[in-house]
Amino acid sequence: MFTLISATPSPYARKVRIALAEKHIPFNLQNEVPWDGTTKTPQYNPLEKLPVLILEDGKSAVYESSYILEWLEAKYPETPLLPSIDQVDARLFAKRIEVVVDGVCDALVLAFFEKMREPEKRSQPWIDRQMRKVEGGLKALGEWAEQKQGDYLVGDQLGLADIATPILH
Ligand SMILES: N[C@@H](CCC(=O)N[C@@H](CS)C(=O)NCC(=O)O)C(=O)O
């Protein structure tokens, strides 16, 4: 069985948990704190980040949430989380939404850690820069949400774009 190194507050790990559930793939959930010295992430991911999906052999692993989702879609096509291969524009649009949501999360993380610094070392322009990305990303997402035809951001069933976008659900 797969093991997912995850952290409950991680939006990146959340994407993978939902994708695994939607595809009915059983997995062991291994919750870790990625900043803690006990984390197993460096054993599997040279970037030392979670989520990490450890495969059945216990040695090989897939990491980086967008890559894990791509890997799952290729290896476990049912239940599909992207429009069919002939719907190129819809597939690319779903991935574009994922890119923007991940970027918003990345900017929030950078702003958070800058705010954790001592006030005299903190860069307000840097925080402002990150928060502009958050606002810009949320604005784009809001516009895409308004344009959607039915219940889902892309197509007529739950997919990658919805899974990646916790803030709209
Ligand atoms: N782009 C990565 C981001 C993953 C990420 O930043 N994970 C955080 C936890 S939410 C982490 O493990 N950080 C540890 C570190 O940066 O060293 C992905 O989508 O998987």
Side-chain angles (χ1 to χ4, degrees), residues 94-166:
K95 284 177 179 277
R96 181 178 177 187
I97 292 174
E98 182 187 30
V99 165
V100 170
V101 179
D102 283 357
V104 166
C105 294
D106 292 345
L108 280 170
V109 169
L110 288 171
F112 173 79
F113 281 109
E114 191 64 26
K115 282 184 186 169
M116 296 289 280
R117 302 182 82 201
E118 293 158 27
E120 60 277 11
K121 293 188 179 161
R122 196 180 292 160
S123 165
Q124 193 57 44
W126 176 258
I127 294 171
D128 293 344
R129 181 177 171 80
Q130 302 313 319
M131 295 315 291
R132 278 204 309 277
K133 294 171 200 274
V134 173
E135 281 164 27
L138 291 179
K139 185 164 173 281
L141 289 166
E143 285 165 7
W144 290 328
E146 272 172 25
Q147 287 162 17
K148 72 186 164 64
Q149 305 289 320
D151 288 340
Y152 305 104
L153 283 167
V154 180
D156 55 5
Q157 64 185 65
L158 183 98
L160 172 69
D162 308 286
I163 290 173
T165 314

Side-chain angles (χ1 to χ4, degrees), residues 10-12 15 34-35 47-51 64-66 102 106:
S10 167
Y12 313 102
K15 269 197 291 182
W35 326 108
L47 305 175
E48 303 194 8
K49 293 182 180 185
L50 60 79
E64 185 69 34
S65 62
S66 55
D102 283 357
D106 292 345

